[in-house]
């Protein structure tokens, strides 16, 4: 078996163990669905083993291949693109109805979809969204446990470190990921293995404490300002809830939806956003890169936008549906978080969004308003929640970002100064 580019099987196995025990937190006899690309089969094998060791009843692999997916989008007709066979719908409904856990292993080539017509991908994802509405609803409401983690892949590593030889790039990326997920740390004697489970417990306590503080303030609005040109005010829904770290599924099982995770996040009022947000990092979206873009909002809606690169991809997001023009998530991440300190653009939202304060255009998380998981679509919309088939995170946090919370009585509290908790 490969030694994972000099990182060694032991550390990588520890990561697989972490995904099994903290990420999806597999329960005795539980069925676990793993979405994984064939490029990651070596990690997947360790993961399968660790899932069974942790008590999984059955591990069901759904293998994908980014090269094959690219060929699919290049060649099939629109009719095929927008057809989701009933067996696939049944697959997700069957397993989610039985309390299965869903693990996704990401880390694909950020350019695997370069040049593919965004509207084709849009057509496909819209069809998937429609056919799997029930499953996605259970997922965003955290009724079912799910987790997303990422593993290096050659094209991805080359993209991040174009100046390095491939094996060196893979070694670097492995180490960065292992550090981001707190399996590996920098000690006084250099790199050392950490007690990853203990680290995650402490990290979760920190995130929960910040959530408690912000929930007590119950801000009406947040104001953002930095030297890039961001000058922006967003409203938060009444009774919003700040969330971060682990979550509790409908089954009572605690799980970690994203590994790594550094953010705490809540629900913006889709009707209240004024001013301009300037991107702090490029956005890698479906294989396309959108660079140096700005979005201007009025009455909650994007009314103007521009990008130095990838404006078509940005347009395809915004034109997705009405909800794509409004915000669905507000997230705070200190500029000095471990991932941010790596000063690396990962071309992967899982890492880049955890390096920076961000917003998401599109679908909101119903769990970020009190009682939201039980609200009907109408009730959620009434409360200011946003509905969309898109949920696209984009990064705005810089080293000089100031965020001020404004309470209903007008009181102002500086939350972030110089990009970090004030
Ligand atoms: Zn987020
Ligand atoms: Zn998000």
């Amino acid at each position: 078996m490969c030694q994972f580019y000099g990182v060694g099987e032991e550390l990588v196995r520890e990561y697989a163990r972490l995904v099994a025990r903290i990420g999806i937190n597999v329960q005795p006899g539980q069925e676990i669905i793993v979405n994984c690309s064939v490029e990651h089969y070596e990690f997947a094998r360790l993961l399968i083993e660790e899932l069974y060791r942790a008590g999984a009843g059955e591990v069901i692999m759904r293998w994908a291949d980014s090269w094959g997916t690219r060929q699919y989008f290049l060649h099939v007709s629109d009719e095929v693109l927008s057809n989701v066979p009933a067996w696939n719908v049944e697959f997700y409904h069957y397993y989610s109805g039985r309390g299965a856990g869903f693990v996704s292993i990401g880390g694909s080539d950020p350019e695997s979809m370069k040049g593919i017509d965004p509207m084709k991908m849009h057509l496909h994802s819209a069809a998937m969204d429609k056919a799997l509405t029930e499953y996605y609803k259970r997922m965003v409401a955290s009724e079912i446990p799910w987790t997303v983690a990422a593993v290096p892949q050659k094209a991805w590593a080359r993209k991040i470190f174009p100046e390095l030889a491939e094996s060196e790039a893979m070694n670097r990326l492995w180490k960065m990921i292992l550090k981001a997920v707190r399996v590996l740390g920098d000690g006084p004697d250099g790199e050392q293995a950490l007690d990853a489970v203990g680290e995650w417990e402490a990290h979760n306590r920190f995130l929960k404490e910040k959530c408690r503080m912000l929930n007590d303030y119950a801000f009406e609005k947040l104001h953002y300002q930095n030297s890039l040109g961001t000058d922006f005010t967003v409203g938060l829904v009444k009774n919003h809830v700040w969330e971060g770290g682990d979550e509790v599924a409908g089954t009572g099982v605690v799980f970690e939806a994203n590994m790594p995770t550094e953010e705490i996040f809540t629900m913006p009022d889709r009707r209240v956003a004024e001013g301009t947000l300037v991107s702090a990092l490029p956005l890698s979206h479906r294989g396309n890169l959108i660079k140096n873009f700005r979005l201007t909002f009025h009455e909650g809606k994007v009314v103007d936008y521009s990008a130095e690169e990838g404006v078509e991809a940005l347009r395809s997001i915004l034109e997705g549906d009405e909800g794509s023009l409004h915000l669905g998530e507000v997230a705070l991440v200190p500029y000095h978080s471990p991932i941010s300190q790596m000063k690396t653009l990962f071309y992967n939202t899982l890492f880049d969004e955890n390096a920076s304060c961000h917003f998401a255009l599109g679908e909101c998380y119903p769990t970020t308003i009190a009682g939201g998981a039980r609200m009907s679509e109408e009730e959620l919309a009434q409360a200011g929640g946003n509905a969309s088939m898109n949920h696209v995170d984009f990064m705005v946090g810089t080293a000089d970002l100031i965020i001020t919370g404004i309470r209903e009585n007008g009181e102002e509290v500086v939350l972030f100064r110089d990009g970090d908790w004030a």
Side-chain angles (χ1 to χ4, degrees):
M1 188 138 199
C2 86
Q3 287 305 302
F4 298 99
Y5 298 88
V7 170
E9 189 181 311
E10 212 173 307
L11 282 177
V12 176
R13 181 177 289 280
E14 183 61 16
Y15 180 27
R17 235 170 65 87
L18 192 68
V19 172
R21 292 175 191 254
I22 297 285
I24 200 66
N25 188 11
V26 57
Q27 300 297 299
Q30 193 185 15
E31 291 155 327
I32 304 292
I33 318 303
V34 179
N35 285 293
C36 184
S37 171
V38 292
E39 292 130 331
H40 300 135
Y41 79 95
E42 286 143 325
F43 177 79
R45 286 178 176 177
L46 295 183
L47 179 63
I48 293 167
E49 212 178 330
E50 292 302 327
L51 285 166
Y52 280 123
R53 278 188 183 166
E58 186 184 358
V59 179
I60 298 108
M61 296 303 296
R62 297 217 82 188
W63 292 106
D65 171 32
S66 54
W67 189 86
T69 305
R70 181 179 173 81
Q71 298 306 309
Y72 170 88
F73 279 106
L74 279 174
H75 297 291
V76 306
S77 67
D78 286 358
E79 206 185 324
V80 173
L81 276 177
S82 47
N83 175 41
V84 183
W87 67 263
N88 200 16
V89 178
E90 177 59 17
F91 177 91
Y92 283 98
H93 289 172
Y94 173 80
Y95 282 110
S96 61
R98 287 164 61 89
F102 292 79
V103 178
S104 289
I105 300 304
S108 56
D109 174 3
E111 292 189 347
S112 64
M113 294 297 151
K114 199 170 184 170
I116 302 280
D117 179 359
M119 288 324 281
K120 281 191 177 282
M121 282 188 276
H122 172 70
L123 198 62
H124 181 69
S125 61
M128 289 289 280
D129 203 70
K130 200 164 161 233
L132 297 174
T133 304
E134 274 313 304
Y135 165 73
Y136 288 133
K137 262 197 204 148
R138 285 176 187 166
M139 205 174 128
V140 294
S142 296
E143 269 175 53
I144 53 170
W146 56 281
T147 192
V148 181
V151 172
Q153 188 252 82
K154 288 173 187 169
W156 182 25
R158 277 200 309 266
K159 174 80 188 171
I160 303 176
F161 306 110
E163 72 287 0
L164 297 182
E166 191 174 85
S167 60
E168 180 63 17
M170 283 293 279
N171 174 275
R172 283 276 285 275
L173 184 53
W174 259 118
K175 283 188 175 171
M176 288 169 98
I177 290 178
L178 293 173
K179 284 180 183 177
V181 296
R182 294 172 159 79
V183 166
L184 188 66
D186 287 310
D189 309 316
E191 287 162 343
Q192 59 181 69
L194 298 175
D195 162 23
V197 172
E199 289 284 328
W200 275 82
E201 284 166 358
H203 180 50
N204 274 316
R205 275 197 301 274
F206 174 81
L207 294 173
K208 299 290 175 206
E209 190 190 303
K210 292 295 178 201
C211 290
R212 232 182 336 264
M213 179 186 91
L214 292 185
N215 287 334
D216 286 347
Y217 276 125
F219 290 114
E220 188 189 14
K221 288 174 182 172
L222 300 179
H223 179 240
Y224 289 64
Q225 217 175 355
N226 71 11
S227 61
L228 277 183
T230 286
D231 188 358
F232 179 73
T233 302
V234 63
L236 304 180
V237 296
K238 232 182 166 54
N239 301 321
H240 62 269
V241 177
W242 286 92
E243 284 196 354
D246 54 21
E247 293 175 63
V248 184
T251 50
V253 173
V254 176
F255 69 99
E256 204 75 53
N258 284 349
M259 301 186 102
T261 185
E262 301 290 335
E263 62 173 337
I264 67 166
F265 59 100
T266 195
M267 191 185 293
D269 188 324
R270 77 165 190 291
R271 301 159 297 200
V272 185
E274 290 294 326
T276 299
L277 280 173
V278 182
S279 65
L281 281 167
L283 170 61
S284 177
H285 182 71
R286 293 183 183 152
N288 295 291
L289 208 57
I290 309 167
K291 277 187 181 168
N292 298 333
F293 57 98
R294 49 174 69 218
L295 301 170
T296 300
F297 290 79
H298 179 56
E299 291 175 351
K301 189 172 171 174
V302 176
V303 290
D304 195 19
Y305 62 92
S306 62
E308 273 175 27
E309 195 183 313
V311 73
E312 308 78 26
L314 181 60
R315 185 177 304 124
S316 81
I317 296 169
L318 293 168
E319 287 179 353
D321 55 16
E322 179 59 28
S324 303
L325 292 163
H326 297 263
L327 296 172
E329 179 193 350
V330 178
L332 303 180
V333 181
Y335 188 74
H336 298 92
S337 74
I339 302 171
S340 176
Q341 286 313 289
M342 293 175 192
K343 305 264 182 248
T344 302
L345 176 63
F346 284 88
Y347 302 94
N348 180 307
T349 303
L350 181 60
F351 292 87
D352 293 328
E353 79 160 325
N354 279 304
S356 173
C357 284
H358 58 271
F359 290 90
L361 289 165
E363 183 79 359
C364 69
Y365 288 107
T367 53
T368 52
I369 183 169
R374 289 180 306 277
M375 285 183 184
S376 67
E377 274 167 46
E378 293 72 33
E379 287 169 326
L380 202 55
Q382 202 70 50
N386 194 29
S388 171
M389 58 181 186
N390 275 324
H391 177 97
V392 182
D393 297 280
F394 61 97
M395 283 56 82
V396 300
T398 52
D400 66 347
L401 181 66
I402 299 170
I403 304 174
T404 309
I406 304 162
R407 301 182 76 177
E408 226 171 310
N409 62 10
E411 185 195 341
E412 297 194 357
V413 181
V414 177
L415 294 177
F416 268 56
R417 190 177 287 127
D418 297 331
D420 216 329
W421 288 105

